[in-house]
Amino acid sequence: MEWQAIGFALQILLLTVGWVLFQKARAELSVRAIEAPVLSELKGLQRNVNRLIEQLEEASLEASVRLERSCEEARELLASLERQIKRYEELAEPTAALTQRSGKSQKEGAVNHDLKGAPIESSPTLTKTTAPKEAIYALAEKGIPPATIAREVGVSEGEVETLLGLKLTHR
């Protein structure tokens, strides 16, 4: 009976150890089961972040290419503007030379010339005694170009062209 009691005690001891090991394994599996979805979500998030980083790199490269293209267009526009300014300055030089050679300003009674080089009759009384608008119309009727009228009357060429355009539309 002693052997039976010892065998029975050993069986109880083995069952207790088995039960403790079972509970420990179950707890560990529960922890792993809880961690598994979190880990899979984290891995999914990591993949999404990596994809977003790749898309950002591609977008930044495209934006960089567009920016370079825009900069090149701006450089070309600047070069074109510089050429036009140079051309304008070259065209303005003969006019400045003519003014310097004459030695007289418009106020001192210098003779203005139309585009063909013909002298334009200056009428100091016309510009001093009448309104600029009337002077512009009178000079235009004589066939004088707007640029010369502007110099003669002392207004901008755009103002002369605007007034002449308005006069034509009111006829």
Side-chain angles (χ1 to χ4, degrees):
M1 170 121 188
E2 219 174 276
W3 289 104
Q4 282 182 343
I6 293 175
F8 185 67
L10 276 175
Q11 284 180 352
I12 291 176
L13 184 63
L14 286 174
L15 280 173
T16 306
V17 169
W19 185 78
V20 169
L21 288 174
F22 170 76
Q23 291 299 326
K24 193 174 181 180
R26 191 175 97 187
E28 192 175 315
L29 284 174
S30 294
V31 169
R32 285 187 184 173
I34 291 171
E35 289 177 352
V38 172
L39 288 176
S40 65
E41 279 186 45
L42 285 175
K43 287 180 183 178
L45 286 173
Q46 185 179 17
R47 282 190 301 272
N48 288 341
V49 167
N50 288 337
R51 247 186 275 129
L52 286 173
I53 289 171
E54 289 172 4
Q55 289 174 351
L56 283 173
E57 288 172 346
E58 289 173 10
S60 68
L61 286 174
E62 290 173 7
S64 177
V65 167
R66 283 194 309 266
L67 183 61
E68 283 295 323
R69 215 176 304 132
S70 295
C71 286
E72 186 59 34
E73 289 174 6
R75 283 187 206 103
E76 290 172 5
L77 282 173
L78 282 173
S80 173
L81 285 173
E82 287 173 356
R83 285 190 301 270
Q84 289 178 355
I85 289 171
K86 186 176 179 181
R87 239 183 316 189
Y88 174 76
E89 288 171 348
E90 289 170 355
L91 290 173
E93 284 177 12
T95 307
L98 284 174
T99 305
Q100 288 175 352
R101 270 190 256 136
S102 71
K104 297 180 182 177
S105 69
Q106 290 179 357
K107 291 179 182 176
E108 296 172 351
V111 177
N112 288 320
H113 297 83
D114 65 11
L115 293 178
K116 297 175 187 170
I120 299 172
E121 291 180 29
S122 179
S123 176
T125 57
L126 181 65
T127 57
K128 289 180 183 173
T129 60
T130 60
K133 187 163 110 175
E134 294 169 356
I136 290 169
Y137 293 150
L139 292 171
E141 286 176 9
K142 292 181 181 179
I144 298 172
T148 308
I149 295 173
R151 282 194 308 271
E152 181 72 23
V153 177
V155 296
S156 71
E157 187 176 346
E159 190 174 347
V160 171
E161 290 174 350
T162 302
L163 285 171
L164 294 175
L166 287 172
K167 184 178 181 182
L168 290 175
T169 58
H170 289 301
R171 284 186 178 178

